[in-house]
Amino acid sequence: MTAGAHLGEVLDDATLVARARDGDVRAYEELVRRYQGRMYRLALRMLGSAGDAEDVVQEVFLTVWRRLEQLADDRAFVGWLYRSVTNRCLNVIRARRPVTDVDPDDTETRRGDARPERAAEVSAQMAALTAALAGLTPEQRACWLLREVHGRSYEEIAEAVSTSPGAVRGRIARARAQLAEVMQPWR
């Protein structure tokens, strides 16, 4: 068993963060392994571009590594990651043209063992959902993804997008209503 695998099985996030802050690169590598997939999926859904998502996640992990000493509470690491990825994605969205094309074949939902007609239906549903998500405001999309896909609490989302839990609830409610309307044919 490698030392990195041992770290991942035994140590909690706060301990890994403390070790990483002390210069333990392996501890930070374990944190990256634990969370890069989640952060990438969030960025991909927000940005609709695999390349942009990869860039954002890489930049965030590098920035967090450089600023690790600024984290006051080691247990707040995951929230810090979500906030950093969300804010970086919102900045990318604001800096680009308003229309985002997403290739549904780039999503992680493909299954080789599915029947072709079922696979086509799922692909069409994912394309419709991707288009519906693109129709939300960036802030609504961020709030909806953090809640529905990543299971974050309203308070965590509020911290990630720098607003109040009430505003988060409103954004999520509007996003749900808009998505329900667009996705009606798929019910």
Side-chain angles (χ1 to χ4, degrees), residues 93-151:
I93 290 167
R94 289 180 190 118
R96 68 160 67 140
R97 291 180 36 217
V99 177
T100 303
D101 293 331
V102 178
D103 183 356
D105 292 332
D106 286 344
T107 63
E108 296 181 28
T109 59
R110 291 184 293 163
R111 289 187 39 193
D113 62 339
R115 295 185 324 266
E117 59 276 356
R118 177 68 182 137
E121 181 182 343
V122 168
S123 180
Q125 286 175 329
M126 286 306 299
L129 178 59
T130 299
L133 285 171
L136 299 175
T137 67
E139 292 78 11
Q140 287 174 335
R141 183 168 48 240
C143 291
W144 186 87
L145 287 167
L146 287 168
R147 180 69 179 172
E148 302 298 337
V149 177
H150 294 271

Side-chain angles (χ1 to χ4, degrees), residues 48-162:
S49 163
D52 287 348
E54 289 170 5
D55 290 347
V56 162
V57 171
Q58 184 176 20
E59 289 171 21
V60 166
F61 276 111
L62 285 172
T63 300
V64 166
W65 170 250
R66 290 183 191 125
R67 297 182 180 168
L68 206 50
E69 72 281 350
Q70 296 174 6
L71 183 62
D73 181 358
D74 294 344
R75 294 167 297 174
F77 179 77
V78 176
W80 191 27
L81 280 179
Y82 274 108
R83 183 172 54 258
S84 298
V85 170
T86 301
N87 287 334
R88 187 74 52 106
C89 287
L90 289 172
N91 289 339
V92 168
I93 290 167
R94 289 180 190 118
R96 68 160 67 140
R97 291 180 36 217
V99 177
T100 303
D101 293 331
V102 178
D103 183 356
D105 292 332
D106 286 344
T107 63
E108 296 181 28
T109 59
R110 291 184 293 163
R111 289 187 39 193
D113 62 339
R115 295 185 324 266
E117 59 276 356
R118 177 68 182 137
E121 181 182 343
V122 168
S123 180
Q125 286 175 329
M126 286 306 299
L129 178 59
T130 299
L133 285 171
L136 299 175
T137 67
E139 292 78 11
Q140 287 174 335
R141 183 168 48 240
C143 291
W144 186 87
L145 287 167
L146 287 168
R147 180 69 179 172
E148 302 298 337
V149 177
H150 294 271
R152 309 315 293 179
S153 71
Y154 291 113
E155 291 74 20
E156 290 171 316
I157 298 167
E159 186 177 330
V161 298
S162 303

